[in-house]
Amino acid sequence: MMCSKMDKKAFDWLLLWMITAIYFFANLQKVIIPGATFNKLQNIFAIDNADAVTSLGAVFLGVYAAAQLVAGVLADRYGGARVIMVGGFVFCAGSVLSAFEISLPLLYFSRFLTGLGAASIYLSMVKEIGRVAGNSMPMVIGIATIIGYSGSITGAAPFAAGVAKYGYFAMVMTAGVAACVFYALYAVASFKQILPPVKKEVRFSCRGYLSVLSTRQNNALIFAVGISFGTYFALQSTIGKKFLEDFCGFSSNSSALVMTVTMIIAAVNGFVVANISRLTGNRRRPTILFSGIGCFLGAGLISVGILLDTSCVLPLCGMILMAFAGNISPIYVALLKESNREDSFGTVVCVGNCLAYGISSLFSAGAGKLMDIFEPQVIGDIRVYGRGSYLLVFGVLTVLGIISALLSLLVKESCGKDISK
């Protein structure tokens, strides 16, 4: 009997790490369109404005955000393993369909499917980590975050270089097929998994979502971190590379390399803050404060650099600071868990994710409209946006950073204990 229990535990861990492999591809898809392929998409589909391109990111992130609300309740009711089986299939279908260069409406539809399916993956993974890892949850989330963020790292410089050499279709199709392979392996292996019973008492209810925002702790925490992560991720996934090319004068490869470095920083930082919290008596609040204030200072540095128009030092420092501040997910999820009842954990996380990616979606869509206020300069077949366009974009981002910093001051410390009562 003891051996059987040990075998079941080992098998659960195996399946959990297989889910993180799928999460790798979800993160890859978040940044490759339009982040790594902005100029290529303008050429393929003859797009003459920034709004149509940034809207591709907004569609993915928007449906990803909205679907969090459903995925969280489903994960609470059916468990993460069941939810990812359906969501993973939809994600893989959208990933493959995104490769076809048939029409812009088809690409919008494929990004809708990809975002819809991807929405289930993170929440399912967190739910399974909570079930399998127990008290090691923050550390395991930190490791899983590094694995997931490796997908975003791959989607920056390596993917951009691949598109330049092999073309858009070949690279996007390769990413889609690879996701399908890993999903198929997980699907086959999971047939032997003994799943927890369905919690029929968990139902869809607007009251459940509203109850999440009924406490000052949840409001301050969710909005502070949501803004910090949301604005950073919009920069990473949509306009960061384009900004470095247009304003800083970097080449496509150099700008992609910078975005890769910032993503590496964000990935490693998730693991670092988990260890710092553990070594300081499971304190959570200093990390939340750093996230909110760092978001404001980073966006402010970029805005000042654009305003002075002297060098790229300030914008680069700002982007690096935002990368450090943007990913604190192990501490954020742990504090959400410690601030709420166990039976509402999935719902709380999905509301937080919905807000964070909703901000990314709105900012991505709004950034394109702000950029188009000033006419771009056409150099060859590339549209280059000027100082005025980016000053508007990062001015808005700085205001959001101020809000994030102020809200982070209101978050209460838990020291790793249950403060939900």
Side-chain angles (χ1 to χ4, degrees):
M1 182 64 70
M2 182 67 70
C3 182
S4 177
K5 289 182 178 179
M6 292 179 63
D7 289 344
K8 179 183 181 302
K9 193 69 173 179
F11 187 62
D12 284 343
W13 275 103
L14 173 63
L15 291 177
L16 179 59
W17 293 122
M18 293 177 75
I19 291 176
T20 64
I22 302 173
Y23 180 53
F24 169 95
F25 289 101
N27 277 274
L28 175 73
Q29 288 292 333
K30 288 177 188 175
V31 300
I32 61 175
I33 299 174
T37 54
F38 199 108
N39 291 331
K40 182 68 70 172
L41 290 168
Q42 283 193 316
N43 290 335
I44 291 173
F45 297 104
I47 302 171
D48 61 0
N49 59 74
D51 184 32
V53 181
T54 59
S55 291
L56 286 165
V59 166
F60 179 100
L61 294 173
V63 69
Y64 185 93
Q68 297 290 309
L69 298 177
V70 178
V73 179
L74 290 174
D76 278 341
R77 181 179 173 89
Y78 296 104
R82 292 185 179 94
V83 173
I84 201 172
M85 284 295 292
V86 178
F89 178 81
V90 176
F91 167 73
C92 289
S95 298
V96 171
L97 196 59
S98 295
F100 293 94
E101 305 171 10
I102 297 173
S103 69
L104 191 57
L106 177 63
L107 183 55
Y108 275 112
F109 176 69
S110 68
R111 299 317 290 167
F112 176 91
L113 288 180
T114 310
L116 182 63
S120 70
I121 295 171
Y122 176 75
L123 285 171
S124 297
M125 182 183 73
V126 169
K127 192 71 176 178
E128 288 300 288
I129 289 175
R131 183 177 68 85
V132 176
N135 292 334
S136 301
M137 181 181 181
M139 188 61 63
V140 176
I141 289 179
I143 297 172
T145 300
I146 290 179
I147 295 172
Y149 269 65
S150 297
S152 298
I153 293 167
T154 304
F159 195 87
V163 170
K165 184 173 183 179
Y166 301 109
Y168 172 88
F169 176 82
M171 289 302 297
V172 178
M173 179 59 74
T174 299
V177 171
C180 291
V181 170
F182 278 88
Y183 168 75
L185 291 173
Y186 169 77
V188 171
S190 65
F191 281 128
K192 295 183 178 180
Q193 186 179 24
I194 301 174
L195 299 175
V198 175
K199 296 181 179 180
K200 296 182 179 180
E201 68 276 11
V202 178
R203 301 178 183 275
F204 290 98
S205 171
C206 292
R207 186 177 301 173
Y209 298 127
L210 294 176
S211 67
V212 171
L213 303 177
S214 64
T215 67
R216 191 183 80 168
Q217 173 78 343
N218 280 349
N219 283 328
L221 181 57
I222 288 173
F223 279 90
V225 178
I227 291 172
S228 177
F229 173 82
T231 51
Y232 156 70
F233 197 78
L235 181 65
Q236 179 73 46
S237 64
T238 304
I239 65 165
K241 181 175 179 291
K242 181 66 172 171
F243 166 70
L244 290 171
E245 292 173 358
D246 290 356
F247 180 77
C248 297
F250 287 11
S251 67
S252 177
N253 288 339
S254 296
S255 58
L257 181 60
V258 171
M259 300 313 296
T260 299
V261 170
T262 59
M263 188 56 73
I264 291 173
I265 289 171
V268 173
N269 192 60
F271 187 72
V272 170
V273 296
N275 278 281
I276 291 176
S277 177
R278 180 177 59 85
L279 294 172
T280 56
N282 291 322
R283 295 186 181 276
R284 317 298 193 194
R285 191 168 183 266
T287 301
I288 304 300
L289 288 172
F290 170 73
S291 178
I293 296 172
C295 172
F296 160 61
L297 292 178
L301 283 174
I302 298 173
S303 297
V304 171
I306 297 172
L307 189 63
L308 296 178
D309 198 19
T310 54
S311 72
C312 296
V313 175
L314 288 179
L316 286 174
C317 290
M319 293 179 76
I320 290 172
L321 182 54
M322 288 187 70
F324 275 110
N327 178 34
I328 59 163
S329 59
I331 303 306
Y332 172 57
V333 172
L335 188 51
L336 281 177
K337 185 178 179 66
E338 292 151 5
S339 301
N340 294 273
R341 301 189 320 273
E342 177 62 30
D343 60 359
S344 65
F345 176 54
T347 303
V348 172
V349 173
C350 80
V351 171
N353 276 2
C354 176
L355 178 73
Y357 284 101
I359 290 171
S360 282
S361 176
L362 291 173
F363 185 78
S364 295
K369 296 183 185 301
L370 291 173
M371 289 166 66
D372 284 332
I373 290 176
F374 294 91
E375 191 70 23
Q377 181 182 4
V378 180
I379 301 177
D381 57 355
I382 304 298
R383 290 167 177 79
V384 178
Y385 293 85
R387 179 166 167 258
S389 295
Y390 290 111
L391 191 58
L392 283 175
V393 170
F394 287 100
V396 171
L397 199 152
T398 302
V399 172
L400 290 173
I402 293 173
I403 297 172
S404 178
L406 292 174
L407 288 171
S408 68
L409 297 173
L410 302 177
V411 174
K412 295 188 297 183
E413 180 61 79
S414 69
C415 291
K417 299 177 182 178
D418 184 359
I419 59 171
S420 63
K421 299 178 179 62

